[in-house]
Structures are given as C-alpha cells and as structure tokens.
Amino acid sequence: MDTKNLFMTPVTARLIRAEYGLGLLVATILFLVHLDQVRWLPALVLFAYIDLIGYLPGAIRYRRREGRVGKGYYVAYNLMHSMVTQGLLALGWIWLWGFEWALLALPIHLFGDRALFGNYLKPFALRFEPVTHQAYRRFRSEFAAADAMAAGSDATSPGPLPWP
C-alpha cells in the first residue's frame, strides 16, 4: 500500500496485523505486570464501552435489517474504534483523574481488534459486517493476473499473490 494505491495485499495485511499484535503484546504485558494496581471496574468499562457504543448497535441493526445499516452506525463504529478518539479520552482521563493502569484496556481492545480479528475502520461503501465486495473480487483477480504476467517466466519471481 502507498499513497497512490490504497489497498493491502494479503502479505501487507498480515504485516500490519503483526505490528498491532506487538502493540497488543506490550499493552497486555504492562497490564499484567501492574495487575495489582489495576482498578477493575474502570478497566472493564473502558474495554467494553467501545463495542457497546460502537459495534453492538450496528451489528444488531445489520442482522435485523438484512444488512441495511445507516451511516450513523459506521460513524459510531469508526469514532469508537479510533486510536485518536481513545487517545484523547485517555488524555482527558489523565488530566481529570490522573494516570492509572486501567487505561491500558483501551489499546488492548483496539490492538486486539486489529491484530486478532483484522478489524479496521469501516468505509461506508462496504457492508457493516465483512463480505467480499464484487468489485474487490474482480480487482483481486486482475491484480493477481497482472502480477503473474509481470513475473513472466522469471524462475526467481514468487508468481501470483496468494489471495485468500
């Protein structure tokens, strides 16, 4: 992916998920090392509120309305699952009440979503729940064919991309 080609290949996606996985590992280790200093009620609320506000209403609507979900649900999801939003919340919390280890619930949730489930922010043009878009399916096929053609008969080339 670059500034002119805003898509990920499977390898790029796995590398990005690995980066978030490292963030998840670091945040989780810090959380566990300071477990005796964690206030559990704030930690649980901070971990859960992201999905209670940002995911569950849209998921329920998606299932009840056979996939039709208004843009407001996407905005709620993206707002709640934004590193910016949660970072600002953490800064506000620290300013008002001081630092506490329970705040690690925020990056643990966000890094976990991205590293373990591959969940990123949701574009309006796609369904609320993951379904391969027909245009993406065509693109993937054309991109793999172009890559295979560019590789030609070069024995050192990896050949077509291993699309899922």
Side-chain angles (χ1 to χ4, degrees), residues 19 29 56 68 81 83-84 98 130 149 158:
E19 289 180 358
I29 288 171
L56 286 178
R68 293 187 305 272
H81 287 83
M83 300 278 183
V84 173
M149 227 192 311

Side-chain angles (χ1 to χ4, degrees), residues 42-119:
L44 291 172
V45 169
L46 288 168
F47 187 86
Y49 101 103
I50 293 171
D51 280 344
L52 289 174
I53 295 171
Y55 173 67
L56 286 178
I60 291 167
R61 180 72 168 195
Y62 180 87
R63 283 165 182 76
R64 287 187 178 165
R65 298 288 304 243
E66 298 171 0
R68 293 187 305 272
V69 175
K71 288 185 179 182
Y73 293 100
Y74 288 82
V75 171
Y77 181 92
N78 291 341
L79 188 63
M80 295 307 297
H81 287 83
S82 166
M83 300 278 183
V84 173
T85 301
Q86 300 312 324
L88 290 172
L89 175 97
L91 287 174
W93 185 294
I94 292 166
W95 183 66
L96 290 172
W97 299 295
F99 174 80
E100 66 176 290
W101 294 107
L103 289 168
L104 285 170
L106 298 171
I108 288 171
H109 183 121
L110 297 178
F111 291 158
D113 273 358
R114 287 168 173 81
L116 302 175
F117 307 115
N119 292 336

Side-chain angles (χ1 to χ4, degrees), residues 140-152:
R140 194 171 61 189
S141 176
E142 290 175 24
F143 189 80
D147 185 54
M149 227 192 311

